[in-house]
Amino acid sequence: MSVLIDPTENNILSVKNILKILIISSAFGLTLLTITFMAWIGWVYLFRKIPREQRYWAKIQYLAKWAGLPIITNQTPLEWSNLISKRIDNTYDLGILATSYNEIRYGNPEINYKLNDATLISSYTEIKKILLKRIVTKPLVKLRNLLPFINAK
């Protein structure tokens, strides 16, 4: 008595297996997209009620902390920006953000300190790119240090 074996059950390229893989990958992608969207909503909600200059400065400080740069609370924004700008090699843009924050936060409320909007936005965008790059590459650097054979030539 011979047993009939269904070739479609064991074949990895069967329609049934391909559909399973597509459903699992779609569910994983949708979950990842939802988590990313919720994190973005939380990020926007966190800074919703503060003026733009202070919002940019607060976001830069959060990103710098996540990038492993020191946050020293007893330093003025200009002192901190001078310290950090040496590590990220961008003195100009960080100086603009620190100056605009100082003027809005500690300046005379009767004087309009508004900087050029395009300059402020471009400075924030540039510093954000640098810090995000450090955040993303930080785990890779740690992994490279843990696995010495990666550095071997």
Side-chain angles (χ1 to χ4, degrees), residues 87-100:
R87 294 187 182 191
I88 64 171
D89 294 329
N90 193 327
T91 306
Y92 176 73
D93 292 322
L94 202 53
I96 286 177
L97 290 172
T99 304
S100 69

Side-chain angles (χ1 to χ4, degrees), residues 78-95:
L78 288 173
E79 290 172 342
W80 184 78
S81 70
N82 287 336
L83 174 73
I84 297 304
S85 65
K86 294 173 187 171
R87 294 187 182 191
I88 64 171
D89 294 329
N90 193 327
T91 306
Y92 176 73
D93 292 322
L94 202 53

Side-chain angles (χ1 to χ4, degrees), residues 1-17:
M1 188 154 129
S2 70
V3 177
L4 294 175
I5 299 174
D6 186 8
T8 58
E9 278 299 315
N10 295 330
N11 187 0
I12 197 162
L13 294 177
S14 69
V15 174
K16 190 178 191 180
N17 288 338

Side-chain angles (χ1 to χ4, degrees), residues 12-90:
I12 197 162
L13 294 177
S14 69
V15 174
K16 190 178 191 180
N17 288 338
I18 290 174
L19 285 176
K20 282 181 188 178
I21 291 171
L22 285 175
I23 290 172
I24 291 171
S25 357
S26 298
F28 179 73
L30 188 59
T31 303
L32 189 62
L33 187 64
T34 304
I35 290 170
T36 304
F37 179 71
M38 295 302 288
W40 178 76
I41 291 293
W43 180 256
V44 170
Y45 183 78
L46 184 63
F47 301 106
R48 73 191 182 287
K49 291 187 178 181
I50 57 178
R52 185 182 59 208
E53 290 83 359
Q54 290 177 336
R55 185 178 332 128
Y56 287 165
W57 186 252
K59 286 181 178 182
I60 290 299
Q61 285 198 314
Y62 269 101
L63 291 173
K65 187 167 97 176
W66 293 339
L69 298 172
I71 303 292
I72 303 169
T73 56
N74 62 352
Q75 284 186 331
T76 66
L78 288 173
E79 290 172 342
W80 184 78
S81 70
N82 287 336
L83 174 73
I84 297 304
S85 65
K86 294 173 187 171
R87 294 187 182 191
I88 64 171
D89 294 329
N90 193 327

Side-chain angles (χ1 to χ4, degrees), residues 93-109:
D93 292 322
L94 202 53
I96 286 177
L97 290 172
T99 304
S100 69
Y101 174 76
N102 269 346
E103 290 172 348
I104 293 297
R105 180 82 170 121
Y106 303 111
N108 185 351

